[in-house]
């Protein structure tokens, strides 16, 4: 008897609690960068590991990636001060091409049959509108977890990723270094030519 | 006995080289972060890099790229077919476990005593319950998982030595002056080289065994490193710069850990 009573009290308390939690988490509060990141990554991984293979993966994950990443900000950072000398048309073209390269690169990384496991650390406040979220990715291909840090900024549309650091290597800084010489030598047209050539080449065959 | 002295000589020469070259180009890493960016996202500064040998480095980089494409990738491909991933992981765990003295000594040299203790714990667990290091059981022991691996290059960094010029080494790939000295230091500490260095004299271990072990270790690591290289290359617009930046940033992050 006492057990039954205990059980009914428990259910009457727990059920609304669980439902309430489920309701808030499915809504993915716009103001919570950690929740945004987690739900975006879950969405992307669900698409990548849905069992449809790698066919058209870049175009399939693009909408989800665009919801999560501020591609225009990533591009602007990767180009550096040279960006201001580009015309609006050039800026648009470079943003489109570079976003495509990033989406293709990202898609090439989420391969394999086993969905990687990701653990999320506590967000670190960089500024009132900037957060850094450390994560650990465990894949089937590596023995050791990979440290991936996401940097997010609060934009009118919500929190967006503006840089990713893999084992301490900043995506933005790495491309900034690569584009520096290209911009100094040939400006926007050289950047566009380089990106077009890069995208025309097939993705390297891997093991 | 010739070898340790030679290693020390390389180390000393290299370190003095680092100190001198550092005066010419003060390669102070610029922090790429929100604080440096201000409000305008186009203000990300380019990390200043100490790369006086760039022309030579690029040549060696092209050579290594060809070597990877035409020699290493076919070997890696065949090896990965013959030796399945769980076996490769086991072999890699075995060699990692044997390298325990390197990580332990460098943790001590950096004054990281908790980490040294963790390394001892890992070694004991993995050597016994992990069947001679083949299985990394320590990953499932709280406090022994994800212990950052220390090496002598990092130790020199902690001691305040600058990285010095960036160097691309034939076959081995990216490095810098400090890591080259670190490589020499770790070579002496690594049990794999104790026979070569004359530190141990066992009748049943010959140079052939040493070479076979080193060779196995290198080939076993190939599939992963070729895959990593390919991924990096397919994303890069200038692979030389991409690898250089990734290497230097990665090492500087490791030193801070």
């Amino acid at each position: 008897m006492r057990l039954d009573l205990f059980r009914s009290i428990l259910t009457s308390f727990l059920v609304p609690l669980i439902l309430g939690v489920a309701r808030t988490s499915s809504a993915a509060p716009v103001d919570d960068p950690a929740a945004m990141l987690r739900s975006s990554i879950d969405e992307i991984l669900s698409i990548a590991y849905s069992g449809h293979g790698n066919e058209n993966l870049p175009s399939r994950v693009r909408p989800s990636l665009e919801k999560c990443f501020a591609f225009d900000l990533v591009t602007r950072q990767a180009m550096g001060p040279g960006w201001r000398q580009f015309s609006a048309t050039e800026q648009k073209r470079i943003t489109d091409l570079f976003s495509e390269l990033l989406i293709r690169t990202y898609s090439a990384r989420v391969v394999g049959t086993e969905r990687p496991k990701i653990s999320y650390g506590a967000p670190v406040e960089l500024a009132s509108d900037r957060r850094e979220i450390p994560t650990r990715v465990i894949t089937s291909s590596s023995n050791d977890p990979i440290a991936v840090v996401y940097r997010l900024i609060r934009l009118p549309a919500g929190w967006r990723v503006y840089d990713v650091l893999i084992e301490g290597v900043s995506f933005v800084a790495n491309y900034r270094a690569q584009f520096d010489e290209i911009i100094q030598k040939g400006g926007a047209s050289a950047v566009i030519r380089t990106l077009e050539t890069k995208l025309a080449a097939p993705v390297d065959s891997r093991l | 006995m010739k070898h340790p002295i030679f290693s020390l000589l390389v180390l000393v020469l290299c370190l003095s080289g680092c100190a001198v070259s550092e005066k010419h180009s003060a390669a102070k890493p610029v922090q790429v972060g929100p604080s440096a960016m201000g409000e305008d996202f186009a203000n990300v500064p380019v990390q200043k890099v100490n790369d006086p040998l760039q022309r030579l480095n690029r040549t060696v980089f092209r050579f290594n790229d060809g070597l990877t494409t035409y020699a290493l990738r076919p070997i890696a491909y065949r090896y990965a077919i013959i030796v399945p991933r769980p076996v490769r992981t086991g072999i890699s765990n075995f060699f990692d476990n044997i390298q325990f003295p390197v990580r332990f000594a460098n943790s001590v040299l950096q004054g990281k005593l908790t980490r040294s203790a963790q390394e001892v714990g890992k070694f004991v667990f993995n050597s016994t319950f992990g069947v001679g290091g083949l299985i990394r059981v320590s990953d499932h022991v709280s406090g022994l998982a994800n212990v950052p691996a220390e090496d002598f290059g990092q130790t020199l960094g902690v001691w305040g030595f600058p990285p010095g010029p960036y160097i691309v080494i034939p076959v081995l790939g990216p490095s810098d002056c400090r890591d080259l000295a670190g490589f020499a230091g770790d070579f002496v500490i690594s049990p794999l080289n104790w026979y070569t260095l004359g530190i141990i004299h066992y009748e049943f271990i010959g140079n052939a065994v040493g070479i076979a072990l080193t060779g196995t270790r290198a080939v076993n690591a190939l599939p992963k490193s070729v895959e990593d290289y390919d991924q990096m290359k397919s994303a890069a617009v200038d692979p030389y710069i991409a690898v250089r930046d990734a290497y230097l940033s990665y090492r500087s992050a490791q030193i801070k850990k």
Side-chain angles (χ1 to χ4, degrees):
Chain A
M1 278 303 284
R2 277 180 60 197
L3 193 72
D4 278 350
L5 185 69
F6 177 70
R7 204 177 282 159
S8 63
I9 291 171
L10 203 69
T11 9
S12 60
F13 272 105
L14 278 181
V15 170
L17 198 72
I18 292 166
L19 286 178
V21 168
R23 214 174 293 140
T24 47
S25 70
S26 66
V30 194
D31 218 38
D32 185 352
M36 192 289 289
L37 186 69
R38 194 186 283 254
S39 72
S40 301
I41 290 176
D42 273 349
E43 191 181 310
I44 294 158
L45 292 182
S46 300
I47 298 169
Y49 295 91
S50 59
H52 292 94
N54 284 349
E55 196 136 333
N56 295 330
L57 190 58
S59 54
R60 282 194 285 137
V61 292
R62 176 185 276 267
S64 316
L65 282 170
E66 278 173 342
K67 262 193 283 173
C68 171
F69 285 82
F71 281 116
D72 50 341
L73 287 186
V74 176
T75 311
R76 216 179 301 170
Q77 292 174 89
M79 298 303 146
W83 175 262
R84 295 196 200 91
Q85 267 85 59
F86 301 170
S87 73
T89 333
E90 287 167 338
Q91 289 181 346
K92 171 82 174 58
R93 180 84 184 124
I94 289 171
T95 307
D96 288 348
L97 289 170
F98 189 55
S99 309
E100 202 181 324
L101 178 66
L102 294 184
I103 291 168
R104 201 176 83 166
T105 303
Y106 189 91
S107 309
R109 293 222 164 185
V110 285
V111 287
T113 47
E114 231 170 286
R115 183 175 166 151
K117 290 183 193 75
I118 301 172
S119 60
Y120 295 83
V124 181
E125 187 171 326
L126 299 172
S128 60
D129 61 343
R130 310 259 165 98
R131 297 286 185 282
E132 196 174 82
I133 302 179
T135 68
R136 274 180 181 282
V137 182
I138 301 164
T139 63
S140 54
S141 70
S142 176
N143 212 1
D144 296 297
I146 305 159
V148 181
V149 175
Y150 292 87
R151 286 191 177 148
L152 298 98
I153 182 168
R154 192 208 298 262
L155 296 174
W159 288 93
R160 293 286 181 275
V161 177
Y162 68 89
D163 195 8
V164 181
L165 289 89
I166 300 170
E167 289 291 346
V169 181
S170 151
F171 228 70
V172 160
N174 194 277
Y175 276 109
R176 173 80 180 86
Q178 293 182 62
F179 280 117
D180 194 45
E181 215 180 282
I182 299 172
I183 292 175
Q184 279 180 20
K185 276 186 187 159
S189 55
V191 174
I192 293 172
R193 221 177 312 122
T194 309
L195 284 171
E196 281 174 346
T197 318
K198 184 77 209 167
L199 287 167
V203 181
D204 281 353
S205 60
R206 295 184 295 110
L207 289 176
Chain B
M1 281 311 288
K2 237 166 53 188
H3 301 286
I5 290 166
F6 174 71
S7 302
L8 276 176
L9 195 71
V10 170
L11 195 144
V12 169
L13 274 178
C14 211
L15 288 181
S16 56
C18 289
V20 170
S21 61
E22 208 57 28
K23 277 175 201 150
H24 294 294
S25 56
K28 200 168 174 250
V30 181
Q31 199 221 334
V32 181
S35 52
M37 276 192 298
E39 283 313 299
D40 188 349
F41 272 85
N43 275 342
V44 176
V46 148
Q47 213 132 335
K48 289 247 180 350
V49 173
N50 187 359
D51 189 6
L53 305 169
Q54 184 164 166
R55 280 177 69 109
L56 176 66
N57 280 343
R58 278 197 185 261
T59 310
V60 179
F61 186 82
R62 270 195 299 276
F63 167 78
N64 286 349
D65 182 67
L67 188 78
T68 307
T69 308
Y70 298 108
L72 302 183
R73 184 176 292 117
I75 296 172
Y77 181 75
R78 285 176 181 82
Y79 181 80
I81 290 174
I82 302 165
V83 185
R85 182 166 281 146
V87 181
R88 295 201 305 265
T89 305
I91 295 173
S92 148
N93 287 344
F94 171 79
F95 282 110
D96 278 354
N97 193 50
I98 280 193
Q99 295 289 80
F100 150 76
V102 173
R103 293 186 300 270
F104 175 75
N106 284 298
S107 300
V108 173
L109 289 172
Q110 293 174 34
K112 294 171 178 164
L113 298 182
T114 315
R115 198 162 293 177
S116 329
Q118 284 173 315
E119 287 295 351
V120 174
K122 270 178 70 180
F123 183 68
V124 171
F125 264 97
N126 294 335
S127 304
T128 51
F129 300 113
V131 201
L134 288 173
I135 307 163
R136 210 166 64 185
V137 283
S138 61
D139 282 355
H140 307 287
V141 180
S142 71
L144 295 183
N146 304 323
V147 182
E150 300 294 352
D151 56 53
F152 199 50
Q154 292 179 60
T155 301
L156 293 172
V158 169
W159 288 353
F161 286 98
Y166 176 72
I167 306 160
V168 183
I169 303 168
V171 187
L172 295 179
S175 187
D176 57 38
C177 227
R178 183 174 63 198
D179 283 337
L180 207 60
F183 182 77
D186 288 337
F187 189 88
V188 182
I189 314 172
S190 169
L192 287 173
N193 306 314
W194 286 354
Y195 180 84
T196 318
L197 296 171
I199 294 170
I200 47 171
H201 300 274
Y202 285 126
E203 288 303 319
F204 59 91
I205 303 182
N207 259 333
V209 177
I211 291 166
L213 281 174
T214 308
T216 308
R217 187 179 177 215
V219 174
N220 190 66
L222 262 189
K224 181 84 184 77
S225 39
V226 171
E227 192 183 323
D228 286 349
Y229 179 72
D230 283 348
Q231 272 193 350
M232 185 286 311
K233 207 180 146 191
S234 73
V237 288
D238 184 340
Y240 174 80
I241 307 270
V243 171
R244 187 182 70 187
D245 174 78
Y247 181 79
L248 297 174
S249 308
Y250 172 67
R251 289 298 287 170
S252 109
Q254 275 188 314
I255 289 168
K256 287 188 199 114
K257 271 204 254 185

